[in-house]
Amino acid sequence: NQSLMGPVYAEIDIDAPREQIFDYLLDISTRPVLFEDSISNFRLLRLESRGIGSGARFQFKRRSKWADTAITAVEEPFRISERGVTGNYNKTKTGTEWEIAESPAGLSSVRLTFWTEPHGLGKRHDRLTGGSGWHTRQLKQAVRRLRDLIEAENTSTDRVATAGGNRHATGVL
């Protein structure tokens, strides 16, 4: 498909069990830490941030475009699939794949893949902007951060806001 941007990807080996990496990535609230240089205004789409159906809305810093993503499929402990939309009127479809394999050296190999499927005028825009180089750099930074956090056992996450505000009961009716 000529309108497809990418896929672009980054790979890294991490000295940790694949199950530990999978468990960390299954929580979508970890994405602001991994992609801190490229996204802002990150909000969960529901209170539960783990597993299939959990999602988020955020802005790409590069062009201030909003994007949505949600975990749509899981093959434990090998793959986490996210699908979403971005661009003008949220018409550009996006895909993100996290694949985790055991390497022969006893490490876990993580491959992060991202692509877009522009719609309408977005097709022309993506071809002209050469966005794949920027996305590749961001993916490489994200997998390096993932490695550093997992290997340092620093996998706690900050509290992330939920879109639409606080949905927890306050005790006041």
Side-chain angles (χ1 to χ4, degrees):
N1 185 349
Q2 291 207 359
S3 64
L4 193 70
M5 186 223 56
V8 294
Y9 67 93
E11 294 178 302
I12 199 160
D13 288 334
I14 300 176
D15 188 10
R18 135 177 97 196
E19 293 78 11
Q20 179 184 357
I21 299 165
F22 180 88
D23 186 59
Y24 181 77
L25 293 172
L26 194 59
D27 187 343
I28 206 156
S29 71
T30 62
R31 302 311 185 262
V33 173
L34 299 176
F35 293 99
E36 67 185 13
D37 294 334
S38 58
I39 66 172
S40 62
N41 298 316
F42 189 91
R43 301 285 183 265
L44 296 174
L45 296 177
R46 67 177 196 184
L47 292 176
E48 178 55 50
S49 65
R50 296 183 60 78
I52 294 175
S54 61
R57 182 162 177 77
F58 55 90
Q59 271 184 301
F60 283 109
K61 289 181 179 178
R62 184 173 186 217
R63 292 206 175 82
S64 300
K65 296 286 184 194
W66 285 94
D68 296 314
T69 191
I71 296 176
T72 57
V74 171
E75 294 175 45
E76 191 170 344
F78 308 103
R79 178 189 304 256
I80 298 171
S81 300
E82 297 177 30
R83 298 297 181 268
V85 292
T86 190
N88 296 329
Y89 308 108
N90 277 354
K91 289 189 175 184
T92 298
K93 295 178 184 177
T94 64
T96 306
E97 294 287 327
W98 298 89
E99 298 170 280
I100 310 160
E102 292 178 336
S103 73
L107 304 173
S108 294
S109 179
V110 176
R111 180 180 175 109
L112 171 57
T113 308
F114 177 78
W115 68 91
T116 66
E117 191 175 338
H119 174 76
L121 293 176
K123 291 179 185 180
R124 181 171 171 242
H125 179 72
D126 269 359
R127 277 198 308 267
L128 294 176
T129 58
S132 63
W134 181 82
H135 285 290
T136 300
R137 286 189 300 279
Q138 301 311 310
L139 296 184
K140 286 180 180 179
Q141 287 179 352
V143 296
R144 281 194 300 266
R145 271 194 201 99
L146 175 64
R147 180 199 56 210
D148 294 348
L149 289 167
I150 295 287
E151 289 182 355
E153 297 181 11
N154 183 16
T155 56
S156 63
T157 58
D158 292 334
R159 185 176 171 101
V160 176
T162 303
N166 187 354
R167 300 270 196 272
H168 291 288
T170 61
V172 178
L173 298 176

